Amino acid sequence: MSQSPLEIRRLTYADLPQVIAIERRAFPTPWSLAMFVLELSKPSGICLAALRDGTLAAYCICSRYDTVWHLMNIAVDPDAQRQGIATALLAHLTWRVNDDQARFTLEVRRSNAPAIALYERHGYRAAGLRRRYYQDNGEDALIMWSTPAPRNGSGSLADVPNPQRIRTVG
Ligand code: COA
């Protein structure tokens, strides 16, 4: 059965009740409403919503710090996962940033194999660890970067700050 088309647009304050509902189902330690409000209030960030049939299916929050884009949050409704929605959001984010030289970074739980696989497919590479970053279980965060050199297929981490070769779990 064919699916309805995905609509991707800017996330708004009016989306936040649906965002919180997905966030609570998607994460063991969900963001609070105040954290989303803070991110939406930053004029330089890009926050996106993906909708099917007018219903929020996913969102991503990306902040800009000087020349670096930090992917702070991305989540897909558990009922809509593995349908390419996160892939579409990341592609749309790249399109909105519209800069071949842009550098993107993120932290992800070392055990979050689905997310790590998604990011690797999107050109991100593991480049360090933040030890015991997650307070709920003391898990390490994997730091990942998407930068021009690896994106261009050289496999080099030359333009990644403090690169380390990290073995991922899962
Ligand atoms: N297991 C293994 N690989 C997975 C996966 C899973 N459960 N989910 C995604 N991937 C990888 C695959 O390589 C997949 O390609 P494929 O389906 O052709 O094999 C690729 O990512 C793209 O998947 P996509 O359908 O675009 O991802 P999604 O829309 O299901 O969203 C997450 C992926 C991680 C955002 C989603 O699982 C989610 O919301 N998880 C909970 C929140 C979370 O962990 N967010 C990331 C925090 S850092």
Side-chain angles (χ1 to χ4, degrees):
M1 196 174 72
S2 67
Q3 284 170 331
S4 332
L6 199 64
E7 178 200 349
I8 298 183
R9 59 154 171 78
R10 287 237 179 216
L11 192 71
T12 69
Y13 292 105
D15 295 316
L16 291 183
Q18 289 184 76
V19 166
I20 292 294
I22 293 176
E23 178 78 9
R24 288 186 178 154
R25 295 176 66 209
F27 289 104
T29 54
W31 277 21
S32 66
L33 178 63
M35 292 166 81
F36 285 103
V37 169
L38 176 66
E39 293 303 324
L40 279 179
S41 73
K42 295 178 182 171
S44 60
I46 298 179
C47 302
L48 297 174
L51 297 95
R52 269 224 173 100
D53 297 323
T55 300
L56 190 79
Y59 50 87
C60 71
I61 307 282
C62 193
S63 283
R64 184 180 188 166
Y65 298 97
D66 192 16
T67 60
V68 175
W69 292 88
H70 194 148
L71 186 63
M72 309 285 290
N73 195 335
I74 181 166
V76 177
D77 185 323
D79 294 334
Q81 290 179 2
R82 218 65 196 269
Q83 298 173 12
I85 297 179
T87 298
L89 272 177
L90 290 178
H92 193 95
L93 179 65
T94 305
W95 175 75
R96 288 241 184 190
V97 168
N98 190 25
D99 178 3
D100 288 347
Q101 298 306 306
R103 295 188 301 159
F104 296 84
T105 189
L106 58 84
E107 286 95 18
V108 56
R109 284 179 194 262
R110 219 174 167 186
S111 64
N112 193 345
I116 292 168
L118 166 76
Y119 300 138
E120 285 180 339
R121 278 185 61 161
H122 207 77
Y124 284 79
R125 295 292 173 259
L129 284 181
R130 292 195 207 289
R131 298 276 177 199
R132 302 189 61 79
Y133 182 75
Y134 296 98
Q135 290 179 358
D136 60 329
N137 64 353
E139 188 172 351
D140 297 340
L142 191 64
I143 304 166
M144 300 186 81
W145 282 87
S146 168
T147 57
R151 274 203 303 268
N152 294 340
S154 70
S156 158
L157 290 176
D159 52 4
V160 169
N162 305 315
Q164 301 163 34
R165 298 279 171 192
I166 303 292
R167 187 191 305 237
T168 55
V169 177

